[in-house]
Each structure stands twice: as structure tokens, then as C-alpha cells.
Amino acid sequence: MNSADDNDEQTSGGFTNDQVLAALKVVHDSKTPNPVRKKAEEYLQQVNSNKDAPYHGYTLAADKSNPPIARHYGLWMLDDAIRHHWGEYTLEQSTALREWAIRLAERVDDDDPSFITNKIAAVWVEIAKRSWVLDWMNMDELLVRLWSESMALKILCLTILETLSDDIFGSEDATAGLRETDLNKAYVQIFTPAVVLAEYFPHRETSINVRYGGEGWLLRLSELLELFLNAKLDDPTGAICTVKVLSVLKSVIGWILPKALSTTKCFEQAAVEVFYSLYYPRKDHSRFSDDEFKELVCPMYQDQAIQLLNRIYEWSTVDSEDIDPDKYLLAKKFSETIYNIGILLYERPRLVPEPSDLDGFLQLLVKIATNQSLHISIVALHLWTKILISDKLCTCNPVISLIPQLLEICSHRMIKYEALPEDSTNPSIVFLNYDTDTMPEKHNFLGNYARFCAQIVGSIVENQPVDAIYHILSQAEQVITHLYDGEPAFKVETYSKSSVPFLKLDAQCNVIEAGLKGCGKWLLTQSSQEKDRHNEIMLQNLKVWCERMLGLIFEDPLVKERVIHLAVGFATGPLKQDARFAFKVFEYILVTRYPENLASTTYSDAVKDLQTFCVHQLQKLAMRFSDYMITIYDEIERKVNQVSQEVAHDEQARTRYSSILFIITHRATSVAPEPREKHLDAFLQPLITKWVNSEMTQSLSSFDSFCSLIGLGGIQQYMSQRNTHLIQDWSLHPLDDEGKVLQTQTQNALEQLPLRATKIMLGIGVEKIDPVSQPFAMACRLWQKHLPLILPNLLRFISHAHAFHNATNWASLPQEMKGVVKRILTDRFWQVGISIGSRDEFYAKVGRTKLTLEGLASSIRSTLRVVRETGYQLLEYLSLLDESFYGFKELSKPLSHALFSDASALSTHQMVILVDKLKIVVENCPVTCRSHFLPPIVATLFEQLDQKASSEWESIEERNKAAAGADGLDEEMRDESILRQLTYTSVTLVVNLLDPQRPNRSGPALADNPNGLSHVEHGNIRSFMIATPEILKPLILFCTHALRMRDTRSCSLITRVLRSLVPEFDTTGPLDTDVREFISHEVLRACITSLHDTYFVDLQKDLAQLISSIIITYSPRTDTPKGVLLTLSSMTAERVDHAIDQLYRAHSNHRQQRALVLELFKDLRGVSVSEQGRIAKPDTKKLRSAMQERYMTVNMETDNKRKELSPDLGGVADMFGQP
């Protein structure tokens, strides 16, 4: 490596800067032909591979006449040399590299693009992580001298300081991790004021001094920030510098000594990023001592600070018609900052002094809650849910005075935003569309938003029940009375399920239901004479209001449905002691009628939905008030049967009405169990008769007769005669008369099967019922005696439904038409962000194709789906019967055969549903039944999942390599999305089965073991899985292959699962030895392969931790891990031994272990975009805080073919030195 003079233009090795510049121009020119670009890239690779590459990079970067892209490439060459070859350089060479970096830094000026400045900073940081405090002692002095120069150099220093802080303290940087202790100490030294350092560490070692000056960087940054905050930021460079200061402060706040913060003067008037990090809430209160809390937190509740916060909020507010991305991002961060400050108030209100302006702070909180952006508003609502449950805060006058405003906000914000058009000009919808990328994100966010509103209303009612309920009901009555004011009159022809009147009513009903929950909590509090009087008045008012509402006439079936839902909430909530009122609601629902109207399909669908909803609500009331209804059973039976005859047009609807009578009899514990059980058995007899019907049993004896049973006996002949395999678009081919008959047959055939009726009746008996209650015990007795009659044909239904997907079973279909089977059974569904067109357009298209070949295929799919998924649901319900179901020792193998013999033919989407249901069946297995039930089921399940997921990922990879055109892109994206779902569902099942903290679902405690079970049999399910070889082998094999499946969530989970398994096999048993060897060889190779793959670059720390666990745990017992490492092309025995020795020395320091592994594989592991030298600009819309991500989750609280026992390493086979 040459030493350089800045004016040298001729390079060694036959390369010149002009040649490099020409090659870069060719590479970056979009018009360059691919062969020419490839040749230029090869030339640049030769330049970078040359021993003098750092010199070439320096000369390119130092010459400011070069294009910025060329200078950046030169800096990347320097960076690459430092990252990958630093250990090969002599002290003289490494010193030269450092001098070049210093020289480049000194020449930074305002004309340099930001990405050049940032890259120079990156080069500086990479050198610092390797030589600072070793042979580079004056780095702090150099930074301070640069700091005293221009604004551009200040920005460079700030970038260096921030990056170093992030790498040393905040990230998983491997290089910094190797020198963690030295770098931590040095960085704390240069940032902390000398007086604070002396106070905290009076006996610290001072012989090695790495700092320059006594003030430290924290004070320098504070002084600069104070200067800018007191000045007008008209200078763009000054504004940029201020933002950089805030970024550095944000980075260091997490580790800086609290005393150092209180010695600076700027924090009371600092800005959003600093506030956010400084006041970030912790699970414990150790972030601030009481004295530090008074010094750093309490000033934020003073009048001067509140005024500043109000000014920042007003300044950061953006218009929905002109969203400034950076300003909007700051506004969201500010709202979270207020949450952080508020949560500290919630946690320690006793420390806040009396003169504080809590009223001003709470008013600011209300102001934020009204923000048009729901993503800003939700943070304030979240904080209000905390404040209103604080005994200290909820009764204070500032909070009580804001109650009316909070109720008003919640009543307006509990509207269903997802029902509004996506192209609406409503500002909240505009912001919502801006902030969310997918429909699941939007639904999750809106669900959390509505939940916070509901919690606020509930807490207010719980604290002030009489006044709050009166206010809520008065407001709702006003809305209901004027529902159509300013809106067109109701018309069937223009009916919409998201009309403004309905959305207004729905919002008010949501507010009332939230109030009822709060009312219910208040009723549970300690009774008193005064409370009883208020209670009586309030309940009477609720009853009168509800009865008045039931007397109104509503033309909209959706409005009627919402009113019924609310009335049932009254009956089962605060008025649950009034059974007569509940029966009034029951009768009201029972006689609800709306005629269908052919003028509007949407209206007719709403009428059908209302009828189904009414039955569900009748069932709910029957469950809750069965003891009262049994006393008037004859009257109810007569009315229910009469309604059933009038409105129930199919067997399923009639069964649902019969189920109401079944529920009353089943749940009425006030009547003796014997006559009830006898009556219930009479209900079930017609169903059982169908299950044992000899004709149905005969029809289930073969695949062809099964097809006839479900109305599809002629489908093969029909498709064959019409050469459907030659028809490209089935949706354009109308059905002939025979096709229409076939379609009707398959739809009608379902009505004759006992599947859906059994699901209804069985679900009533076991779902959502206390397993130690009398009704549950009765259900177990009822169904247990019928299970031997039901199970054989149920398993045949499932088996044949799966077999229908296997083209080899379509014997009458010519070979050239076998592809038609997959085409018939491929589900059509819409996915946001993937499918072309909107959801409404998709369903409209499905409706238009009903009487086409595609419509016939849809009917076939629907029939098979009902048979298949109803069978799954029945198994889930049966699993709730505990040993009444699992106790059949001969069941597991036939069940396994029925579920899995043709499961490989199921689509990925259908496999997801199967796994979801089987997960419940497996987890519900009692401890006493595990040994005979679980092994055949779980082992075969994971064999099938391994085969399915691995083959599908292989198929995806092949399609990606083929680079299909844009025409099939949406289908490919959909397939990959579903495959990710299957992978994640399977992996979560693994996590549940192998969770060491998961308790047994049921059964006696280990100390009380009357059945004489072994420790393994009686332990948690993880112990059973690990100790059962039949299960363990396919389970670990699946986990191994999952390490290569290209889904980061799943791979991350699997690394943790495998890491937890590694210590389990560090013993001398025969099973332990086999598993240990497999993990040491196959799992380790899979980890290394994924570590090499750039797709898994974000998971490298997880993979590195697993690799270190395997090496540390198993190397004392076997040489296999070392042998695998030595097969890698760049490994030597000396290097491997040194790495293993260092891993042992790292003990429990996981960060250092990861750093050592990443350093060991530095030449083999995949590299990120930034390490590849590309310039990546983050999308501001994608930048989300951890809190924003949590708001996007549900209820926030809350790939290769298998080859024997070896994963496929074909993609990187040359890495391993094997023949």
C-alpha cells in the first residue's frame, strides 16, 4: 500500500484515476449495454482487489474536481479496506490510512454533498473502532479542533459522534463489540464533564487520558444547542446543525450519567428528540432517582415549559392537503414526547410540586387528542387512559374540568374510519392513508384507537356514573332523533352499508357500550346506601331509554342490527338482574322481519346478515337467562318453532333456531340434570341418525361415491367433455344447462349432510363454557356416547375432502387434463397491496362470474371448503371434551391418516387453516393422553409441513430466478405472502410446543400424580416433545430447514427456539448424542449458509448467537462444530481454535460472543446495502418509532426440498471444502 501525495494522479498496478472514472461513468449510465456494464464492473472489482486499493480510494475522494459519485466510490474503497483488511496492515500502513481519513475530514466544506460528509465520517468511525485508545490517543483533540472551525466541520463531528455512540452502545456492531469495555469507558470519558466524572468515579484510572479539555462533549453540544435555540434559524446550515445536535443527544441520553444532564442548562428548552429520549418511560423507576426526577422532570410541568411545548406543537402541526414529511414526522415524535412526560406524571404524581401548571399540561393533552391525524391523536388518548385510572389524578380538579371535552372527542372519534371511502377528503382519512401501508395495519391501528376511546369513556363513567351516563344517553338520543338530518332519505335502490346515518349511529352505540362497561365496573365496587340509591335511579333510566329506543322504527337493516346489539348489551350488562327485560329484548329480536328486495343486492345481503345476527343474539340471551326462560319454555318453544317455519328456508337455519331451545335446556341448572339430559339427547338423535345412515356410510366408502354424495359425481365427465383445459379464461365462458344443474346439485348437497348442524350443536355445548361446570359435564356425557358413531364418518369426510385435491384420484380425467384439478381448486381472494383493483371490485367481479365456468369452480371450492373446514372445526370442538375425546387410544393413527394422507395436495392457504386448527387440537391434549395421541399426529404434521414449506420456497426461488414478467407479478406476490403466512404459522406452533415456560393446560400437579406418570410424561409439553424421538426428529429437521426459509420473522423465532434446545442435549444419553451431532453439523451449516445470504443480513446477530451457542456448548464434547468450520474456504485451524478460545472467554457476554462470530465470518457473511457502498435514502413515511409500531399490532399490550437429514446447501456449496 503506497503512501500518497494529494496531487498524485497516477496510481500503481496499471490503474489510473481517469480509467476508474470512465468505468464508473459506464456503470452508472442507464443507457450502457449490459455486457459493457459487466466489463466495467469487473474492472472496478480488479481495482478494489488490488493491494493499493486504499490509495486509489483516497486519491479519488481527495480530488474535489471528481464527480461526487466517484468521490463516494473512493471513500467506499477506503471503508472496504478498513473493514476487511485492517488486521493485515502494518502499523505504518494503518497509520497512513488514519492520516488520510484525518486529511479528508479537515477538507470538508459547505460545498460537499451530505452523503460525502457522511461517508468520510463513516471511514473515521471504522478506524476509531479499531485503533482508538490503542495507538490513536489524540482523536478527541482532533475532533475538538475540527469543532472550532466551520459549520460544515461541526456537522462532520456530530455525525462521527452520533455514529460512534450508536455503534458502541446501541447497535450490534461486531467490531465495537470486540472492544466493548475499552470503547465504553473512553466514550463516557470524552462526553462527561470532568467535574461529574470525578464525582462519580473518584478513584478511576487517570494514567491514560483520551479526553481533551474539561468540559466534555455533552456541554459543548448543550452550549451550541442553546445558542441556536435562542437565535433565529434562518441559516439552513445552522438548522441542519441543530438537528444533528439533537440526534447526537438522542443517541447519548440512553447511557449518559444523569448527573451530567442536570449540570447543563439547555434541557429545559431543548426540542423533541432530546425530550423523547430523556423522558422515555421505563418499566421500573430506576431511570431517575427522586432528586433527579425533581431536577429533570418536574420543570416540564411549569408554566414556562408548558408554553414552550404549546409553541412547538403549534409549529409542528401540518395540513392534510400539504403534508411536509419531515415536519409531520417531528409532530408524531412530539406527541410521543408528551406521552413520555405524562407517563412520568402518572407514575410518580407525589413528586410534582403544588405550583405546577397541571391544568395547562392536561389542556395541551386534550389539544393533541383533537389533532386531525389519528396517529398523533392516539398517543394523547393512550395517556388519558392512564390518567383516568390513577387514584391521585382522576379526582383532581384539572382532570374533572376536562371530562365533557373528553366525552365529546371520543363520541366523534369512535366512528368506523375504515368504512369511509379511501379517496375521502376527510383530513383524518388522508393522514391515515399516509401513515399505513396495508389493510391489516390500518385495521389494527383503528382497533387500538377505538379501544382507547372506549377505555376513556368507560373510566369516566366508572368515576362519575350518573352524570356521565346521562350525558352519553342524551347525546345519543339527539343523534338518533336527527339521524337523517342533512342526508338523503332512505332508499333501497341506493342502499349502502357505510351510509353516514349508520356510521353516526354506530359511533354513538360504541360510546354507550363503552359507558355500560364502565357502569358494570362501578356496580362491582363496595356497596353503600348512597350508591344503592344512585344505582336504582341509573338502572331505571337505562331501562326506560332502551325501551324507548326499541319502540322506534328503522328502515335500514344495518341500523336495526346495531340497535339490537346495543339492546342485548343493556340486557346482559347493567340490567342483567332483570330477566323480564331481557325476555322483552328476546321477543323483539324474534319478531324482527325485513323483506328482501331485488332492487338492491346489497340491501338483500344486509337483510340476510341481519337474520343470522338475530339468531346469534337470541342464542346469547338464551345462554345468559336460561334459568328464567326454562320457566316459560313452552311459550318460547312455540314462538321459536313458528318463526323457524316462517323464515328458515334451509336445514342450517332451522338447526340454528332449534339450537336456541337446546341452549335453554342445556344451561338451565335450576332444573334437575336427568330430565334435561334426556331432553337434550332427543335433540341430538336426528343428527346421530344421519351420521350412522347406511347410505351415507356407503357413499363415504370410496372417493367416487363421496363425489356423488356432495353433488360432484359428474364433474370429471363434464369438464372433460367440454375440453375446459383449452379454455384460457373460464370467467368468460357461460355455463350451459347441465353446468347449472351441476352447480345447483353441489350447493343443495350440503344441506343433506350432518356436518354443519353438528358443528352448531356441538359448539353450543362446549365453546366458551367453564370446563368444571355442570353443563360442560353434561355435554361430555352426551357426546362421548355418540363419538364412536360420529368419528369414523367424520374422518372419512376429511380424508375424501383432502383427496379431492389430489389429481391422481380423478381417474376419469385424461392425463392431459390433470392440471384442471388445480385450476378448479385454486382459491380466489383479494389481498391489499397485492391484488389488482379494490376489494369491492374484486367481489363485484366474483358476483358477475357466478354463472360461468369460473362460477362453477367457485361452487365446487365452496362445497369442499365447507366439508373440509367444518371437519376441522368439529375436531377443535371435540378437543374441548378433554379425555372424553382423547381417551380413545385407537384414534390417533386413523386421525393422522385422514388429515395427512393427501395433505400435500392442499394449497398453501388451505394448509395454513389446517395448521391453525390442529394447533388447538395438539395443545388441548391432556397430560395423561399425550403418549398415545400426540406422536403420530405431531410427527406426521411436521413431516408434511417440512415437505410443503420447503418445496414451495424452492418453487418461489425458481420463479424469482426466472424473472417472470409484470403480468404474473401480483400472483407471485400473493403466493409468496401466503407462503410466509404458512411458514410463520408453523413456526409459532413450534414455539408454543417448545416454550419452556408453558404450563400444562390441565391435569394434576407434578407433586400430585395419581396416574403414576413418568416425569417426562407429566412435565410440560416441551419436555414431552424433546423426550419423544418419533416427534423430535421431524421437529428439529423442520427447524433446520426453517433457518433457510426466506421469512425474517420466522427465521428469527427459529433461531431462538434452537438456541433454547442446544443446552438440552449437552449430556451423555444415546438420543442426546445423535441430536447433538445433528445440531453440530446440519444446524450449524444451515446457520452459516443463511449468514452468507444477503437476504438474512438483518438476522445476522440472531444467527451469530445461535452459532456461538452451538460452538460453546458442544465443542467440549465433540469436534464436529470445529470440523464444519474448517470446511469453509477461508478458515485455518489456528484461526478457528483462536475464535473458539475467545468464545469461551466471553462467558455470558452475549454481545461479545456475537461480535466474535461475525468477525470470524467477516469474509463469508452477506453484507448490507450500506456496506456495499450504495447510497440509500430512507423513506420518511417508513420511519416509525417503537410506539407507532405497537399501535399497528393487534390489541397492543399485545424452503428447499428435504434430503434425508441434510439441508440443501447447493447455493453455497463451494464454501465448504467437500468433494
Side-chain angles (χ1 to χ4, degrees):
M1 185 174 74
N2 290 340
S3 61
D5 183 274
D6 292 350
N7 296 319
D8 257 347
E9 294 191 11
Q10 179 69 37
T11 70
S12 63
F15 303 112
T16 67
N17 283 352
D18 288 342
Q19 290 172 328
V20 174
L21 289 172
L24 285 169
K25 183 176 180 181
V26 168
V27 168
H28 289 282
D29 189 346
S30 60
K31 298 178 181 178
T32 301
N34 283 338
V36 177
R37 177 179 286 108
K38 185 175 181 180
K39 189 172 182 181
E41 289 173 344
E42 290 173 352
Y43 171 79
L44 292 174
Q45 184 58 44
Q46 291 176 12
V47 174
N48 192 49
S49 301
N50 186 270
K51 62 182 179 66
D52 291 320
Y55 170 72
H56 305 327
Y58 170 69
T59 56
L60 278 172
D63 188 351
K64 293 201 172 189
S65 65
N66 286 334
I69 197 70
R71 295 182 62 202
H72 185 273
Y73 181 76
L75 290 167
W76 174 78
M77 292 175 69
L78 273 175
D79 184 77
D80 185 70
I82 296 165
R83 287 175 184 269
H84 298 102
H85 303 288
W86 183 265
E88 303 167 13
Y89 296 143
T90 64
L91 178 62
E92 181 183 3
Q93 289 174 323
S94 61
T95 302
L97 271 171
R98 186 169 69 236
E99 290 301 322
W100 293 346
I102 294 170
R103 222 176 294 177
L104 289 169
E106 290 171 341
R107 293 186 173 189
V108 168
D109 57 36
D110 293 336
D111 294 329
D112 286 321
S114 60
F115 64 86
I116 293 294
T117 303
N118 292 342
K119 197 61 181 178
I120 291 173
V123 170
W124 181 297
V125 168
E126 289 303 320
I127 294 174
K129 288 186 296 188
R130 290 162 172 83
S131 65
W132 186 38
V133 199
L134 289 176
D135 58 1
W136 187 12
M137 306 302 295
N138 69 335
M139 185 188 80
D140 194 43
E141 179 183 354
L142 291 170
L143 286 173
V144 172
R145 288 177 178 173
L146 291 174
W147 181 258
S148 64
E149 300 294 331
S150 66
M151 195 68 72
L153 287 173
K154 280 185 170 63
I155 293 174
L156 173 69
C157 290
L158 290 168
T159 304
I160 292 171
L161 291 170
E162 180 185 3
T163 308
L164 267 175
S165 174
D166 288 342
D167 285 357
I168 294 172
F169 295 97
S171 71
E172 286 289 330
D173 186 85
T175 306
L178 292 174
R179 303 187 57 227
E180 183 178 10
T181 302
D182 290 342
L183 294 177
N184 282 4
K185 289 180 179 179
Y187 214 62
V188 170
Q189 280 191 48
I190 69 171
F191 253 87
T192 309
V195 291
V196 176
L197 209 57
E199 181 180 344
Y200 264 87
F201 308 106
H203 305 296
R204 67 188 178 90
E205 175 63 47
T206 57
S207 59
I208 300 178
N209 184 27
V210 295
R211 64 180 293 133
Y212 183 77
E215 63 273 34
W217 280 103
L218 185 64
L219 190 57
R220 293 186 193 102
L221 298 178
S222 302
E223 290 172 349
L224 183 64
L225 181 60
E226 187 174 13
L227 174 68
F228 279 121
L229 289 176
N230 291 331
K232 293 183 179 179
L233 299 180
D234 295 331
D235 177 18
T237 307
I240 293 171
C241 195
T242 302
V243 172
K244 293 295 293 184
V245 171
L246 294 173
S247 295
V248 177
L249 289 172
K250 175 189 174 185
S251 177
V252 305
I253 287 291
W255 54 263
I256 201 71
L257 300 175
K259 186 67 177 177
L261 299 178
S262 60
T263 60
T264 61
K265 299 179 180 179
C266 72
F267 285 96
E268 290 183 18
Q269 44 184 320
V272 179
E273 294 286 1
V274 179
F275 285 153
Y276 180 83
S277 296
L278 177 60
Y279 302 117
Y280 189 83
R282 313 290 172 175
K283 290 185 177 180
D284 56 24
H285 295 172
S286 61
R287 174 61 174 142
F288 299 114
S289 66
D290 284 359
D291 289 340
E292 291 165 348
F293 186 94
K294 292 173 182 176
E295 283 188 68
L296 296 175
V297 179
C298 289
M300 298 311 300
Y301 309 121
Q302 302 298 318
D303 180 66
Q304 183 179 0
I306 299 298
Q307 291 180 22
L308 172 65
L309 293 174
N310 271 286
R311 288 200 302 272
I312 295 175
Y313 173 71
E314 297 295 340
W315 174 83
S316 66
T317 301
V318 298
D319 190 341
S320 63
E321 296 182 357
D322 183 23
I323 299 176
D324 181 329
D326 294 326
K327 196 173 184 182
Y328 183 47
L329 184 65
L330 185 66
K332 288 188 284 190
K333 182 70 74 173
F334 177 78
S335 69
E336 293 182 35
T337 301
I338 298 301
Y339 174 89
N340 293 345
I341 297 172
I343 209 69
L344 289 167
L345 169 66
Y346 162 75
E347 289 174 345
R348 287 191 268 186
R350 62 182 177 80
L351 295 180
V352 180
E354 281 298 327
S356 300
D357 185 14
L358 286 186
D359 188 45
F361 179 77
L362 294 173
Q363 286 179 4
L364 172 61
L365 199 56
V366 167
K367 190 185 298 185
I368 295 172
T370 62
N371 194 287
Q372 292 179 329
S373 167
L374 302 185
H375 274 72
I376 292 175
S377 169
I378 193 173
V379 183
L381 295 178
H382 189 184
L383 182 54
W384 272 112
T385 65
K386 304 286 187 182
I387 292 172
L388 290 170
I389 62 173
S390 167
D391 294 335
K392 176 81 173 176
L393 296 174
C394 72
T395 56
C396 69
N397 290 329
V399 171
I400 293 174
S401 66
L402 295 172
I403 293 300
Q405 292 184 57
L406 287 174
L407 286 174
E408 189 73 16
I409 292 169
C410 291
S411 67
H412 281 93
R413 293 296 175 91
M414 290 187 80
I415 192 171
K416 284 187 176 177
Y417 288 97
E418 58 265 51
L420 296 175
E422 287 194 15
D423 58 354
S424 170
T425 57
N426 182 308
S428 293
I429 296 297
V430 174
F431 281 118
L432 186 64
N433 291 335
Y434 181 91
D435 287 317
T436 54
D437 297 323
T438 67
M439 193 60 70
E441 280 185 350
K442 184 179 292 186
H443 281 305
N444 292 342
F445 172 81
L446 291 175
N448 285 315
Y449 193 93
R451 187 166 60 86
F452 290 146
C453 288
Q455 286 179 358
I456 290 171
V457 173
S459 296
I460 290 172
V461 172
E462 185 180 357
N463 296 332
Q464 303 178 38
V466 177
D467 293 341
I469 283 290
Y470 177 80
H471 177 93
I472 290 170
L473 294 181
S474 299
Q475 183 175 263
E477 188 165 2
Q478 184 72 12
V479 171
I480 293 171
T481 305
H482 302 280
L483 201 56
Y484 284 91
D485 287 5
E487 297 294 330
F490 179 82
K491 289 184 179 180
V492 172
E493 293 77 11
T494 58
Y495 182 74
S496 169
K497 290 187 177 182
S498 57
S499 65
V500 172
F502 167 71
L503 294 177
K504 286 163 56 179
L505 174 84
D506 179 66
Q508 293 304 313
C509 289
N510 288 334
V511 174
I512 294 172
E513 287 167 346
L516 294 182
K517 289 182 180 179
C519 181
K521 291 180 181 178
W522 176 72
L523 291 172
L524 294 175
T525 58
Q526 187 174 359
S527 179
S528 67
Q529 186 175 355
E530 180 69 13
K531 179 193 166 184
D532 292 343
R533 187 176 65 82
H534 285 308
N535 182 21
E536 185 177 348
I537 295 172
M538 185 177 65
L539 294 182
Q540 185 60 31
N541 289 338
L542 287 173
K543 182 177 177 180
V544 170
W545 188 90
C546 189
E547 288 176 338
R548 188 162 61 245
M549 182 181 64
L550 294 179
L552 300 176
I553 298 174
F554 302 103
E555 297 178 283
D556 187 339
L558 210 54
V559 170
K560 184 78 164 184
E561 180 180 313
R562 196 65 185 86
V563 169
I564 288 173
H565 187 274
L566 183 61
V568 172
F570 272 79
T572 58
L575 299 176
K576 61 186 176 183
Q577 302 301 325
D578 192 342
R580 292 182 182 276
F581 173 77
F583 185 62
K584 285 183 182 180
V585 177
F586 184 92
E587 289 185 303
Y588 176 82
I589 299 171
L590 194 60
V591 298
T592 294
R593 301 280 194 287
Y594 276 81
E596 293 187 28
N597 193 316
L598 298 178
S600 171
T601 303
T602 306
Y603 176 85
S604 295
D605 289 343
V607 170
K608 293 176 184 176
D609 292 342
L610 172 62
Q611 207 62 50
T612 302
F613 177 80
C614 284
V615 176
H616 288 151
Q617 297 306 299
L618 290 170
Q619 291 173 338
K620 186 175 182 179
L621 290 171
M623 289 179 187
R624 190 64 64 91
F625 299 97
S626 54
D627 282 328
Y628 172 76
M629 292 185 181
I630 199 70
T631 63
I632 52 174
Y633 182 84
D634 292 340
E635 179 185 353
I636 293 176
E637 183 179 33
R638 176 177 52 79
K639 291 182 177 181
V640 168
N641 288 336
Q642 180 183 344
V643 172
S644 177
Q645 291 174 3
E646 293 174 0
V647 302
H649 303 302
D650 56 56
E651 186 64 27
Q652 185 180 10
R654 287 189 287 274
T655 302
R656 289 192 183 281
Y657 277 102
S658 297
S659 70
I660 298 168
L661 303 175
F662 186 94
I663 290 170
I664 296 172
T665 307
H666 180 234
R667 304 293 174 98
T669 55
S670 59
V671 178
E674 291 78 9
R676 283 166 45 219
E677 192 167 336
K678 185 176 180 180
H679 191 191
L680 292 173
D681 203 31
F683 270 105
L684 297 181
Q685 280 308 316
L687 268 181
I688 304 305
T689 301
K690 286 189 175 183
W691 279 106
V692 298
N693 180 277
S694 59
E695 292 184 6
M696 189 182 79
T697 302
Q698 182 61 34
S699 296
L700 290 171
S701 63
S702 69
F703 176 74
D704 290 336
S705 56
F706 165 76
C707 292
S708 299
L709 178 65
I710 61 173
L712 295 174
I715 187 62
Q716 297 186 49
Q717 182 179 358
Y718 180 85
M719 302 300 280
S720 178
Q721 289 177 347
R722 284 151 185 79
N723 292 319
T724 51
H725 63 296
L726 301 178
I727 301 173
Q728 187 170 2
D729 190 345
W730 285 358
S731 64
L732 300 178
H733 193 86
L735 281 180
D736 53 24
D737 291 340
E738 187 179 346
K740 293 176 183 177
V741 169
L742 195 59
Q743 189 176 49
T744 304
Q745 283 178 351
T746 186
Q747 292 169 345
N748 293 339
L750 283 176
E751 299 301 323
Q752 309 305 316
L753 303 180
L755 287 166
R756 291 194 288 193
T758 306
K759 184 182 78 169
I760 294 169
M761 304 306 278
L762 180 56
I764 288 167
V766 298
E767 195 175 27
K768 297 180 181 178
I769 187 170
D770 187 352
V772 297
S773 66
Q774 184 201 87
F776 183 82
M778 185 179 293
C780 289
R781 290 194 301 271
L782 278 170
W783 288 101
Q784 185 177 25
K785 62 184 178 182
H786 296 310
L787 284 185
L789 305 176
I790 294 173
L791 281 172
N793 280 342
L794 174 59
L795 299 188
R796 293 186 185 105
F797 269 118
I798 296 173
S799 178
H800 289 314
H802 287 184
F804 201 92
H805 292 261
N806 190 339
T808 59
N809 293 318
W810 292 49
S812 301
L813 208 62
Q815 186 62 37
E816 67 272 13
M817 292 191 67
K818 294 293 185 181
V820 167
V821 179
K822 182 178 180 181
R823 195 170 170 185
I824 291 174
L825 297 174
T826 299
D827 291 318
R828 289 186 295 176
F829 47 86
W830 184 84
Q831 281 186 288
V832 65
I834 294 178
S835 301
I836 297 174
S838 68
R839 184 196 299 266
D840 291 339
E841 290 171 343
F842 170 78
Y843 284 114
K845 181 180 179 181
V846 170
R848 289 194 301 269
T849 61
K850 184 175 181 179
L851 295 178
T852 65
L853 268 178
E854 185 57 49
L856 174 60
S858 181
S859 297
I860 296 170
R861 287 194 296 271
S862 177
T863 298
L864 267 294
R865 187 183 308 115
V866 169
V867 173
R868 190 177 61 246
E869 294 181 13
T870 304
Y872 299 162
Q873 188 64 57
L874 286 172
L875 290 177
E876 179 184 338
Y877 285 155
L878 290 173
S879 75
L880 297 175
L881 296 177
D882 207 63
E883 292 190 10
S884 297
F885 169 68
Y886 292 98
F888 292 102
K889 293 189 176 181
E890 67 279 4
L891 172 62
S892 59
K893 289 185 179 179
L895 177 58
S896 177
H897 181 269
L899 290 169
F900 303 122
S901 57
D902 285 294
S904 59
L906 296 176
S907 71
T908 309
H909 180 249
Q910 292 153 3
M911 200 72 171
V912 171
I913 298 169
L914 174 60
V915 175
D916 273 332
K917 293 300 180 183
L918 275 185
K919 174 183 174 183
I920 298 169
V921 174
V922 170
E923 292 178 350
N924 283 345
C925 182
V927 174
T928 54
C929 300
R930 283 177 184 165
S931 59
H932 71 259
F933 184 85
L934 290 184
I937 304 292
V938 177
T940 314
L941 171 61
F942 279 104
E943 287 172 0
Q944 291 289 327
L945 288 176
D946 192 13
Q947 177 184 347
K948 185 71 176 179
S950 296
S951 62
E952 291 294 331
W953 276 115
E954 186 177 80
S955 176
I956 289 286
E957 286 299 298
E958 290 175 355
R959 287 166 60 178
N960 288 342
K961 289 176 182 177
D967 290 343
L969 187 58
D970 61 322
E971 183 179 343
E972 291 177 20
M973 292 173 64
R974 183 200 65 194
D975 291 346
E976 186 165 344
S977 173
I978 299 167
L979 181 53
R980 290 183 192 282
Q981 187 180 356
L982 173 62
T983 306
Y984 186 70
T985 302
S986 305
V987 167
T988 52
L989 173 58
V990 174
V991 172
N992 288 342
L993 294 179
L994 296 179
D995 181 0
Q997 304 301 321
R998 186 182 182 89
N1000 289 328
R1001 172 179 167 267
S1002 60
L1006 189 60
D1008 180 19
N1009 185 7
N1011 297 302
L1013 299 174
S1014 68
H1015 175 76
V1016 169
E1017 289 174 318
H1018 196 261
N1020 64 15
I1021 196 165
R1022 171 188 168 96
S1023 301
F1024 179 79
M1025 295 290 157
I1026 293 175
T1028 308
E1030 183 181 350
I1031 294 176
L1032 186 62
K1033 178 179 176 180
L1035 185 57
I1036 288 192
L1037 190 60
F1038 171 79
C1039 291
T1040 306
H1041 293 159
L1043 287 170
R1044 296 291 301 129
M1045 295 176 188
R1046 301 172 80 82
D1047 180 67
T1048 52
R1049 286 191 309 170
S1050 302
C1051 186
S1052 178
L1053 286 174
I1054 282 295
T1055 59
R1056 296 174 198 176
V1057 168
L1058 288 169
R1059 210 164 70 227
S1060 77
L1061 286 178
V1062 168
E1064 298 282 351
F1065 304 100
D1066 187 25
T1067 55
T1068 56
L1071 177 62
D1072 296 334
T1073 301
D1074 292 342
V1075 176
R1076 182 167 58 245
E1077 287 300 313
F1078 179 83
I1079 293 176
S1080 298
H1081 192 263
E1082 303 300 342
V1083 174
L1084 183 56
R1085 285 167 64 102
C1087 286
I1088 295 170
T1089 305
S1090 292
L1091 196 67
H1092 175 77
D1093 192 334
T1094 55
Y1095 177 85
F1096 297 99
V1097 69
D1098 292 332
L1099 292 177
Q1100 287 186 356
K1101 71 172 185 177
D1102 296 320
L1103 293 164
Q1105 192 65 63
L1106 176 54
I1107 291 171
S1108 71
S1109 297
I1110 295 171
I1111 294 173
I1112 292 171
T1113 307
Y1114 291 161
S1115 289
R1117 291 187 177 274
T1118 174
D1119 289 332
T1120 303
K1122 179 180 177 180
V1124 171
L1125 295 179
L1126 288 175
T1127 63
L1128 298 170
S1129 56
S1130 60
M1131 296 294 176
T1132 63
E1134 182 182 2
R1135 184 179 174 190
V1136 171
D1137 288 338
H1138 178 68
I1140 293 175
D1141 182 61
Q1142 285 186 305
L1143 284 171
Y1144 286 149
R1145 293 174 183 274
H1147 297 297
S1148 59
N1149 189 330
H1150 294 309
R1151 182 185 178 186
Q1152 194 167 14
Q1153 290 171 3
R1154 292 192 293 269
L1156 288 167
V1157 171
L1158 293 175
E1159 177 68 17
L1160 180 65
F1161 291 101
K1162 65 180 180 180
D1163 297 326
L1164 295 175
R1165 64 184 177 91
V1167 295
S1168 63
V1169 169
S1170 60
E1171 289 181 285
Q1172 293 172 2
R1174 302 176 193 169
I1175 305 168
K1177 183 179 180 180
D1179 184 354
T1180 309
K1181 288 180 64 176
K1182 308 294 183 186
L1183 297 176
R1184 293 176 182 160
S1185 66
M1187 179 175 282
Q1188 290 167 351
E1189 289 289 353
R1190 290 200 301 273
Y1191 289 136
M1192 299 285 192
T1193 60
V1194 179
N1195 191 21
M1196 58 162 286
E1197 283 293 334
T1198 82
D1199 329 44
N1200 300 302
K1201 286 187 178 179
R1202 185 162 52 92
K1203 297 182 181 179
E1204 298 297 327
L1205 295 179
S1206 176
D1208 181 4
L1209 301 173
V1212 286
D1214 54 334
M1215 288 170 54
F1216 297 94
Q1218 293 183 350

